[in-house]
Amino acid sequence: MKLSKYLTASALALTVGFAAHAADVPEGTSLADDQTYTFWLLDAIKSMDPQINTDVEGSDVLRNLFEGLYNEDGNGELVPGVALDHTVSDDGMTYTFNLRDDAQWSNGEPVTANDFVYSWRRLANPATASEYAWYMELMQVENAAAVIAGDMPPEELGVRAVDDTTFEVTITTPLPYFPQMLVHASTFPVLESVVEENGDDWTDAGTLVGNGAYTLTEHTLGERVVMEKNDTYWDADNTVMETLTALTINDINQGLTRYLAGELDRVDIPAGQYPRLAEQYPDQAVSTPYNCSYIYMLNVGEKGPEALKDPNVRKALAYGIDRDIIVERILQGGQRPSYNWTHWAIADFERPELEWADQMDQAARMEAARELLAEAGYGPDNPLDLTLQYNTSEDHKKIAIAASQMLKPLGVNITLDNYEWKVHTDRMQAQDFDMARYAWCGDYNEASTYLDLFTSYSGHNNGEFFNDEYDQVMRDSKTAEDPQPLYQQAEEILAEEMPIIPIYHYANVDMIAADIEGLPENNVNNTWYGRNLYRVAE
């Protein structure tokens, strides 16, 4: 949803409201007796804490256990969550959210504005050590940078409870997409009394208190998550699906086997199998654009290999990988080859013209790669040795093997290292890698969700690419009337410095049981809610 129309050139305070949204069961639909939904997870969820979680799969679970100010519908449009609507001051820098008075925690206590104040302060508080603390800064919340740095107490963050049902946020510059940012799990409220009483154990099944449409009844790490309908949820009467179960299955091919055996209602389609499955199961195999980009992140910081401190070496590695082969021969699911960071389907974004993408074919890129490596002193007679790590997945393995084979003729020897998800991400956060498989799924449908990641103040810049010009461009974008040219400039800097190797832009390639309805079909973020789902009778 493009919300700039509500804010651009406004001289008056605006009230912005959204249509309500719940499970929309067409009249005359026969519902199945079994209202359960079982979906696939590749990896164990590292945390059930909204302010600690960093994973897409974790967010899928948290979105059902908690609810923020706004939600998204199947088209990516904002719909009410705890907030019914909001007003915006005439300078675009004060948001006042009107909260529903019937929102409750799963223990029956009311959800209030103070819950949001506590949770947002908790996110920014250095003591929480959240990787998503920077999100408060990206939202331009007043004093966020100083609070995160420890220079101001959390109480100075620009949020306050006017009363129990009025939450006020002050930001430092108008952001047309600010409301879109509020669907992110890090902004969800948590109940202070439960967090403070139970410490790190507050997220355990049976202890966790949420305000979402479901409660956590079981969490066996690396095996399953079970969520049951929450009768205290404000829209429980319109929630049809009774139980959500997530099964962790590290082998994507085994996941497909178990789907075909009827054990799962949704699973990712393994690389290369979409054409066959779409022909065999046309009512179950789907492919739609998905707001995620797949890259190899390069460690250009102090702990990284000396060779990767040279931009020309980094360019050579990027030039040497044939994305068309990866997309057309390995993946075959509607993904697109990428030569930049921001996903092609992001609203209003247009990739700038890039020489290596638009003026070279793969043969020319390979020749340029040889020349760049030779200038740096590398080639078949003096090979460059690097390690590429990836998290457990047959698809990641196939892509990594292909990439290593593509780089071999250039005199680049790649050693492949495979780690389970937690170890993989811990190593990246500690800069303990040369090259690492990485994917970023946008937190909202606007280019800054990608481009802010490579600023020096980002919480996810694990390759430690620090560039003053890039930082300034992204700072300037926050106050620009039209940020799009600055976004293009940021992409041009990335193409020149090449701290990442772009591989492909995602598509959402799934098998979905034919009797499951209510999943989003036109939402590039693939933001789904169990309360919108229902199973029809066969």
Side-chain angles (χ1 to χ4, degrees), residues 176-432:
Y177 52 87
F178 178 79
Q180 288 177 275
M181 301 181 78
L182 302 176
V183 301
H184 192 265
S186 65
T187 69
F188 291 175
V190 296
L191 186 56
E192 180 177 6
S193 60
V194 174
V195 175
E196 300 302 328
E197 179 181 345
N198 295 283
D200 291 341
D201 296 332
W202 81 269
T203 56
D204 291 350
T207 303
L208 186 147
V209 173
N211 69 320
Y214 296 85
T215 59
L216 182 65
T217 56
E218 180 185 347
H219 182 199
T220 304
L221 189 65
E223 183 178 334
R224 70 175 57 232
V225 176
V226 181
M227 296 167 279
E228 300 287 349
K229 181 178 173 180
N230 174 18
D231 291 334
T232 70
Y233 181 63
W234 63 268
D235 203 23
D237 288 347
N238 292 312
T239 301
V240 176
M241 196 65 73
E242 296 283 344
T243 304
L244 309 178
T245 301
L247 298 182
T248 300
I249 305 169
N250 291 135
D251 185 331
I252 191 171
N253 291 294
Q254 184 186 4
L256 176 61
T257 298
R258 293 178 67 173
Y259 170 88
L260 294 174
E263 296 179 41
L264 294 167
D265 295 307
R266 183 178 185 175
V267 69
D268 279 12
I269 293 177
Q273 298 198 43
Y274 176 74
R276 173 183 67 82
L277 291 169
E279 182 175 352
Q280 193 171 355
Y281 305 97
D283 59 340
Q284 299 176 52
V286 298
S287 175
T288 57
Y290 184 25
N291 183 10
C292 305
S293 288
Y294 191 112
I295 63 170
Y296 288 144
M297 186 174 285
L298 304 177
N299 188 349
V300 304
E302 291 184 5
K303 294 183 180 179
E306 191 62 32
L308 293 184
K309 293 176 173 57
D310 184 344
N312 285 339
V313 171
R314 303 195 296 258
K315 285 183 184 178
L317 295 173
Y319 292 4
I321 294 177
D322 190 334
R323 292 143 188 81
D324 288 334
I325 288 178
I326 290 172
V327 167
E328 295 172 8
R329 298 187 190 177
I330 298 176
L331 297 173
Q332 300 184 49
Q335 300 85 351
R336 293 192 185 185
S338 64
Y339 298 87
N340 71 301
W341 177 221
T342 307
H343 194 285
W344 65 268
I346 282 285
D348 300 324
F349 176 77
E350 289 186 16
R351 177 175 66 77
E353 182 165 322
L354 302 173
E355 181 182 6
W356 76 294
D358 302 307
Q359 299 175 26
M360 295 182 184
D361 59 15
Q362 188 56 32
R365 283 190 283 270
M366 286 294 284
E367 184 57 35
R370 288 190 183 92
E371 293 174 1
L372 290 168
L373 285 171
E375 290 174 12
Y378 299 105
D381 296 331
N382 184 34
L384 171 61
D385 296 324
L386 294 169
T387 298
L388 168 60
Q389 73 169 55
Y390 62 93
N391 56 294
T392 303
S393 162
E394 280 300 308
D395 290 1
H396 300 332
K397 181 179 179 180
K398 289 177 183 178
I399 295 169
I401 290 172
S404 66
Q405 292 173 342
M406 293 169 183
L407 294 172
K408 186 77 172 177
L410 297 174
V412 180
N413 295 331
I414 300 292
T415 299
L416 302 182
D417 273 352
N418 166 223
Y419 298 98
E420 61 93 7
W421 176 247
K422 185 180 185 303
V423 176
H424 175 69
T425 54
D426 286 349
R427 286 174 61 92
M428 290 191 69
Q429 289 155 16
Q431 287 74 54
D432 188 12

Side-chain angles (χ1 to χ4, degrees), residues 68-216:
L69 294 168
Y70 290 128
N71 300 318
E72 292 182 37
D73 68 11
N75 296 313
E77 304 286 337
L78 293 187
V79 294
V82 178
L84 295 169
D85 55 30
H86 65 264
T87 59
V88 189
S89 62
D90 57 359
D91 63 2
M93 293 194 290
T94 301
Y95 283 76
T96 304
F97 296 91
N98 301 305
L99 309 186
R100 60 176 71 252
D101 60 11
D102 56 349
Q104 294 183 23
W105 294 101
S106 54
N107 66 359
E109 294 182 30
V111 178
T112 70
N114 278 306
D115 295 321
F116 283 92
V117 170
Y118 167 75
S119 303
W120 286 32
R121 287 174 177 173
R122 180 174 181 261
L123 177 61
N125 191 337
T128 306
S130 171
E131 288 183 55
Y132 256 97
W134 73 307
Y135 200 67
M136 284 284 113
E137 193 171 351
L138 296 185
M139 293 198 297
Q140 307 297 309
V141 177
E142 186 178 53
N143 296 330
V147 172
I148 293 166
D151 297 332
M152 279 188 177
E155 290 74 22
E156 295 298 319
L157 190 69
V159 295
R160 74 183 185 103
V162 178
D163 56 40
D164 282 352
T165 58
T166 310
F167 177 54
E168 183 182 275
V169 181
T170 302
I171 60 177
T172 57
T173 189
L175 282 184
Y177 52 87
F178 178 79
Q180 288 177 275
M181 301 181 78
L182 302 176
V183 301
H184 192 265
S186 65
T187 69
F188 291 175
V190 296
L191 186 56
E192 180 177 6
S193 60
V194 174
V195 175
E196 300 302 328
E197 179 181 345
N198 295 283
D200 291 341
D201 296 332
W202 81 269
T203 56
D204 291 350
T207 303
L208 186 147
V209 173
N211 69 320
Y214 296 85
T215 59
L216 182 65

Side-chain angles (χ1 to χ4, degrees), residues 39-89:
F39 60 102
W40 169 81
L41 297 177
L42 176 63
D43 297 293
I45 293 173
K46 292 173 69 175
S47 177
M48 291 287 186
D49 187 327
Q51 277 81 58
I52 298 298
N53 171 70
T54 61
D55 304 337
V56 172
E57 293 176 329
S59 294
D60 285 344
V61 171
L62 292 175
R63 208 178 296 121
N64 290 291
L65 298 174
F66 299 88
E67 182 169 70
L69 294 168
Y70 290 128
N71 300 318
E72 292 182 37
D73 68 11
N75 296 313
E77 304 286 337
L78 293 187
V79 294
V82 178
L84 295 169
D85 55 30
H86 65 264
T87 59
V88 189
S89 62

